[in-house]
Amino acid sequence: MDILKKIEQYRSQEEKLRWEGTFADYLKLVKEKPWVAQSAHSRIYNMIRDAGVEEENGHKIYRFFSHEMFGLEEALEKLVEEYFHPAAKRLDVRKRILLLMGPVSGGKSTLVTMLKRGLEAYSRTDRGAVFAIKGCPMHEDPLHLIPQHLREDFYQEYGIKVEGNLSPLNTMRLEEDYGGRIEDVLVERIFLSEDKRVGIGTFSPSDPKSQDIADLTGSIDFSTIAEYGSESDPRAYRFDGELNKANRGLMEFQEMLKCDEKFLWHLLSLTQEGNFKAGRFALISADELIVAHTNETEYRSFISNKKNEALHSRIIVMPVPYNLKVSQEERIYEKMIRDSDVADVHIAPHTLKVAAMFTVLTRLKEPKRGDIDLLKKMRLYDGENVEGYNSSDLNELKKEYQDEGMSGIDPRYVINRISSTIIRKKVPSINALDVLRSLKEGLDQHPSITQELREKYLNFISVARKEYDEMAKKEVQKAFVYSYEESAKTLMDNYLDNVEAFCNKSKLRDPLTGEEINPDEKLMRSIEEQIGISENAKKTFREEILIRISALARKGKRFDYRSHARLREAIQKKLFADLKDVVKITTSAKTPDEQQLKKINEVVARLIDEHGYNSTSANELLRYVGSLLNR
């Protein structure tokens, strides 16, 4: 019964939001809440802004997109700041068709769907409320009732510019139903809805021989001509084309560049002048965002045709590339799996990350700088700290190619291979190796992959495999260290005591005998050598550690082994090196003794409790790491 109660609540809320009054009542509302008279572009911009904006590394992150669009923050910032923002301010940008261009499965359709669903919800809020002349099939803006010669006076009084002319149907209704009394015309609140064809339209071209322009602009209702006597009587016209119904909101023009020319001519007038021609009437005003999407090949073909020059000048192209961040690519896969029927299958840790690494590597272009390889570039793009490089290096890399992210493997391919792995393996658990194997097999079946690309992609699978090998070893070695954090802290404290004594040229006191002893050079070097600190560089490295401790102390912060990235790496490697033999023997023993079995069970329990594995994937990981260490 809960769902029925919720349906009832929704219905009662909808009833509370309904509003109806005369044009005179509406003007009072406009005076009180001027935003109700905003344009379609302004409403979309405010919808995005009202969802929240965050600043990160000098870029704006729009929370409106954050639950569905991953890794496209810069492209979305450009879309909002270079199109929606100026369009909302009534600048010339609003007279352009918004064309989203990008590779397949890159998020273009998702973006348009988000705008549609967002508008539907926003029109039910106070800030997004939309009002229209009651009974108008085009949901016309009530302010069109104000005569042209009074619009400047209206602007002086209300601060709102009125654009567009009253439609032929409402011009006739004003005279016949209201006797020319504008103030008595009924106005109602409307709720945008794609399903009900209110303020949101979708046009998809079909066979040019059978598709009629009426699908866009409406058509004559021949059954009413006998009643009204003329084809030019607006009551004999069905204002039910997509351009009519999308008025006050958004129209998605699917496969626009594949359309017959006659369908595109109407867009020239609509974008530039805000009106279009329908039937035997004067130009009909429409206030709507026209958004289309295409891929790069279709777009290049379109602009190379001289016939399309007029329309080309009325298009603003916004690139929507593939995501280039591994962590965000993981989120895309997580979402796609969550929305599927395999959401209950256990996916071992690092599985999606390794798949994401492969995918992102296929999308990146080879760096022009000789000191950065593709793997470092991938890490920098994902916000990781790469020794010797900073944010200026990252910005330089991003400027090397304007079209980076417009090619490569798409997310659907990866999800298809993951699905194939789940179905074929017939167990409730899959791991990174299963997915890499499936990705490799799938390359032969991918229709658009050339032999040259296949070789390149196989190399990327090998790179991702090597990365996984390192992750797997670290995971198991961590699990073998009983109370890993405690071990790391103890080792670090010991190291820091010795470093401090070394730098201050002092001695340490033995905790057992109480006698003074020299700093333990062997211990310090065993840790420093893990990260390649040479004999000549050890003094500088140790002094740097002390400086970092002093700097943190001045700020009232405590130094721990995570405070210095390279020291943390050295501590981890030292701990792992000490444990390597134990791990190797325990994981590879075919008939483990009681002690080894106990250790294995402890490690499996820790992998399950602390690292997110299940029993199957934990045992698979142990067997795999055992084979790696025995090579």
Side-chain angles (χ1 to χ4, degrees):
M1 289 298 292
D2 281 349
I3 191 66
L4 293 177
K5 281 182 183 175
K6 286 176 181 175
I7 290 169
E8 190 181 333
Q9 284 172 359
Y10 179 80
R11 192 166 55 242
S12 63
Q13 280 176 336
E14 195 107 324
E15 284 302 317
K16 285 177 188 173
L17 291 174
R18 293 193 187 282
W19 184 95
E20 187 178 308
T22 63
F23 182 66
D25 297 329
Y26 175 67
L27 284 185
K28 289 176 188 172
L29 194 64
V30 171
K31 194 82 170 175
E32 183 188 334
K33 301 175 179 178
W35 61 83
V36 300
Q38 64 190 326
S39 67
H41 288 83
S42 177
R43 187 173 293 107
I44 292 170
Y45 174 68
N46 287 327
M47 168 186 78
I48 295 167
R49 292 278 308 179
D50 288 354
V53 187
E54 296 169 6
E55 289 275 345
E56 192 177 290
N57 300 324
H59 289 287
K60 289 180 180 174
I61 310 292
Y62 294 94
R63 284 168 57 190
F64 177 82
F65 302 105
S66 60
H67 299 299
E68 298 281 338
M69 308 287 290
F70 306 113
L72 297 179
E73 291 81 13
E74 289 176 31
L76 293 170
E77 181 185 23
K78 186 178 180 184
L79 172 65
V80 175
E81 294 304 319
E82 293 186 19
Y83 183 80
F84 287 124
H85 192 180
K89 298 290 184 187
R90 295 181 185 269
L91 293 171
D92 217 45
V93 171
R94 72 196 165 104
K95 297 177 180 179
R96 305 284 182 273
I97 296 166
L98 174 62
L99 180 65
L100 305 174
M101 182 182 71
V104 293
S105 190
K108 304 182 295 296
S109 299
T110 302
L111 176 52
V112 177
T113 302
M114 287 188 75
L115 293 174
K116 287 179 179 178
R117 298 295 85 80
L119 273 174
E120 288 175 343
Y122 195 58
S123 69
R124 286 163 172 75
T125 66
D126 187 50
R127 287 271 297 162
V130 189
F131 294 82
I133 295 171
K134 189 177 181 185
C136 173
M138 281 185 61
H139 328 294
E140 190 166 7
D141 186 347
L143 295 184
H144 284 184
L145 290 160
I146 297 170
Q148 289 284 351
H149 66 279
L150 292 177
R151 289 186 178 181
E152 182 57 35
D153 295 339
F154 180 78
Y155 175 68
Q156 295 300 326
E157 185 178 347
Y158 286 82
I160 296 168
K161 286 184 178 176
V162 181
E163 294 178 339
N165 300 315
L166 197 62
S167 67
L169 180 61
N170 284 323
T171 301
M172 176 178 278
R173 288 177 62 208
L174 176 62
E175 294 303 320
E176 295 196 359
D177 298 348
Y178 298 101
R181 288 181 59 80
I182 291 169
E183 62 270 30
D184 292 341
V185 174
L186 289 176
V187 174
E188 65 178 348
R189 182 173 181 179
I190 61 170
F191 305 109
L192 304 190
S193 167
E194 184 174 22
D195 292 339
K196 295 177 182 176
R197 301 186 75 212
V198 178
I200 297 175
T202 303
F203 180 79
S204 184
S206 57
D207 181 8
K209 293 175 184 175
S210 61
Q211 189 151 27
D212 191 351
I213 196 69
D215 294 344
L216 269 183
T217 60
S219 60
I220 295 165
D221 185 352
F222 289 101
S223 66
T224 61
I225 291 175
E227 182 183 349
Y228 298 120
S230 168
E231 288 184 20
S232 59
D233 189 310
R235 291 169 300 181
Y237 197 84
R238 290 195 297 254
F239 294 90
D240 61 355
E242 292 305 319
L243 292 179
N244 308 104
K245 292 299 182 181
N247 185 35
R248 314 299 302 285
L250 174 153
M251 192 191 84
E252 178 187 8
F253 212 124
Q254 295 178 346
E255 305 295 346
M256 186 184 86
L257 303 187
K258 291 178 182 173
C259 253
D260 192 72
E261 287 176 4
K262 66 182 179 182
F263 290 95
L264 302 179
W265 292 335
H266 285 279
L267 300 184
L268 294 175
S269 173
L270 179 59
T271 52
Q272 194 60 37
E273 309 299 334
N275 51 45
F276 63 92
K277 184 72 176 160
R280 298 177 181 179
F281 307 117
L283 291 165
I284 295 173
S285 297
D287 170 32
E288 58 197 79
L289 161 69
I290 306 288
V291 58
H293 38 92
T294 187
N295 60 51
E296 197 168 359
T297 308
E298 279 178 7
Y299 178 68
R300 298 292 167 214
S301 173
F302 172 77
I303 60 173
S304 64
N305 187 343
K306 293 290 182 185
K307 287 182 180 179
N308 298 324
E309 280 185 359
L311 188 63
H312 179 227
S313 66
R314 288 172 172 82
I315 290 174
I316 280 194
V317 180
M318 282 289 165
V320 183
Y322 282 135
N323 157 61
L324 298 174
K325 297 176 181 176
V326 171
S327 56
Q328 296 300 312
E329 190 72 11
E330 271 190 273
R331 292 183 68 194
I332 294 172
Y333 302 155
E334 284 167 3
K335 178 186 174 294
M336 292 171 93
I337 289 167
R338 204 165 47 241
D339 295 343
S340 73
D341 291 335
V342 295
D344 58 334
V345 173
H346 175 77
I347 297 174
H350 309 304
T351 301
L352 299 183
K353 182 174 184 176
V354 171
M357 281 180 173
F358 161 71
T359 315
V360 170
L361 284 169
T362 68
R363 298 170 184 172
L364 293 174
K365 290 185 180 284
E366 204 65 48
K368 292 177 181 177
R369 285 174 52 171
D371 62 329
I372 296 180
D373 60 20
L374 217 52
L375 208 54
K376 280 181 183 172
K377 183 177 183 176
M378 180 190 77
R379 291 197 170 109
L380 283 167
Y381 271 30
D382 203 31
E384 287 186 41
N385 287 321
V386 178
E387 189 184 346
Y389 301 97
N390 53 35
S391 57
S392 62
D393 294 301
L394 175 61
N395 293 331
E396 190 181 318
L397 282 171
K398 287 181 177 178
K399 289 173 185 172
E400 283 185 345
Y401 299 99
Q402 292 301 308
D403 61 341
E404 191 165 49
M406 299 300 273
S407 61
I409 293 288
D410 64 280
R412 282 196 198 117
Y413 169 77
V414 178
I415 287 298
N416 289 346
R417 299 315 304 167
I418 290 173
S419 303
S420 171
T421 307
I422 290 167
I423 291 160
R424 189 171 62 241
K425 203 176 177 191
K426 293 180 182 176
V427 292
S429 173
I430 63 166
N431 59 40
L433 293 176
D434 297 325
V435 172
L436 285 176
R437 202 176 295 116
S438 184
L439 287 169
K440 187 177 180 180
E441 290 167 4
L443 293 177
D444 292 329
Q445 303 161 22
H446 205 293
S448 63
I449 293 179
T450 62
Q451 184 59 31
E452 185 185 350
L453 266 181
R454 186 176 176 277
E455 294 300 321
K456 191 177 177 183
Y457 290 173
L458 284 173
N459 180 49
F460 291 148
I461 287 175
S462 298
V463 171
R465 168 77 178 266
K466 285 175 187 170
E467 289 295 302
Y468 174 66
D469 288 353
E470 290 304 310
M471 289 182 214
K473 282 190 277 189
K474 282 185 181 178
E475 197 92 297
V476 170
Q477 289 167 328
K478 267 189 194 180
F480 262 88
V481 179
Y482 182 73
S483 186
Y484 173 73
E485 294 291 325
E486 284 299 311
S487 303
K489 185 178 181 302
T490 303
L491 185 57
M492 188 204 70
D493 287 344
N494 199 356
Y495 173 75
L496 291 180
D497 287 343
N498 282 279
V499 163
E500 191 174 1
F502 170 83
C503 292
N504 295 333
K505 295 184 173 58
S506 59
K507 297 200 174 189
L508 291 164
R509 192 170 294 279
D510 189 302
L512 293 175
T513 64
E515 65 178 307
E516 288 190 337
I517 53 173
N518 290 320
D520 189 341
E521 186 64 23
K522 190 178 176 183
L523 170 77
M524 289 187 284
R525 291 303 294 141
S526 72
I527 291 170
E528 291 156 359
E529 282 168 355
Q530 301 293 330
I531 51 170
I533 303 292
S534 66
E535 186 69 29
N536 293 334
K538 69 180 185 184
K539 186 171 182 289
T540 307
F541 180 74
R542 293 169 188 177
E543 286 171 348
E544 183 194 318
I545 298 286
L546 281 191
I547 290 167
R548 181 72 62 87
I549 292 170
S550 301
L552 285 170
R554 281 199 301 275
K555 294 175 184 174
K557 294 179 181 176
R558 184 176 172 79
F559 184 93
D560 67 21
Y561 90 100
R562 291 192 204 84
S563 302
H564 193 286
R566 296 192 71 202
L567 178 59
R568 177 180 62 192
E569 186 186 349
I571 295 284
Q572 287 177 349
K573 283 186 173 179
K574 170 63 177 164
L575 278 172
F576 297 159
D578 293 347
L579 274 163
K580 191 171 182 179
D581 289 338
V582 179
V583 176
K584 191 192 294 186
I585 294 164
T586 313
T587 55
S588 61
K590 288 182 181 175
T591 52
D593 59 32
E594 191 180 335
Q595 192 63 31
Q596 287 171 336
L597 202 59
K598 184 184 175 189
K599 191 70 178 172
I600 287 172
N601 290 336
E602 279 179 13
V603 172
V604 168
R606 197 162 293 118
L607 286 169
I608 293 169
D609 296 341
E610 297 175 19
H611 298 274
Y613 290 82
N614 69 358
S615 178
T616 306
S617 60
N619 280 291
E620 284 176 344
L621 178 73
L622 281 177
R623 282 195 297 274
Y624 180 63
V625 170
S627 71
L628 284 177
L629 294 175
N630 278 301
R631 282 177 191 172

